[in-house]
Amino acid sequence: MAKKITFLLVLLLGLIFASISAYATTDTGTTAPDTGLTNDKVSSADNSGTIPVINTANVETATEATGSAPSRTSTTEEKEEEEESIDYEQCVTEFLDPDVEATDSFLVNIKWNQKDPVNNPLLYVLTGTIKQDSESGSPLVVMLYIKADDLYIPLICRGGTNIIETGSVAFVSRTDLLYLGSDRVNEVRIIAFRKEDADNLIPGVNVQISDKMITAKQTVIIPIPINTDSVLDALKLK
């Protein structure tokens, strides 16, 4: 009997010990996930709070950079265009006085040829040959004027301007003169200089002034009647 009681007590203690161990294990297992979830929540909160800030800063910086770069480029291009734009008309104003004398032709030689003396006797072709090269490669500027009522006005070429700018050794252009007939003379003034010298032009030194007097005459073709009988008679053998 005593043995049975002792066995039951030992069994009961074993069950109690097992229950306590199981409870402790279950308690520990519950705590670990809570800790893990807490860490995950903190980590997620930190990440969600940090990433948008960094991205926003990057987007703003990129936007500012994108917005400012084209502005700087545009400003640079505008400055370059302003530097390259030269008011040639203003540069040669003093040389349009009829009292200003012509210089030697040391920069360019220009020849004038009547293009169509029958249908359009005022149409002339001008060919220019550069006589002096530029060491810097600066383009040659040729400006054409014609006297009208004792004043020089622009002589417009077929390109819509009186200015020819070229870096070649020769050029060709066309223009219509003003006066037709042997009783009217077209007084043309040619002003030539290098583009790099436009701001400081000195006649005979770096600017050429040439005057050309052109009388545009119309050629009339008179039809000659042909007598067929006369031609046949002329062809007959005598």
Side-chain angles (χ1 to χ4, degrees), residues 4-20:
K4 289 181 179 181
I5 294 172
T6 302
F7 175 75
L8 290 174
L9 289 175
V10 172
L11 180 61
L12 182 60
L13 289 174
L15 291 174
I16 293 172
F17 180 76
S19 298
I20 293 173

Side-chain angles (χ1 to χ4, degrees), residues 121-122 178-186 214-218:
L122 292 176
L178 293 181
Y179 307 116
L180 177 64
S182 57
D183 59 333
R184 298 298 302 270
V185 178
N186 294 277
I214 304 175
T215 301
K217 297 180 180 180
Q218 186 171 20

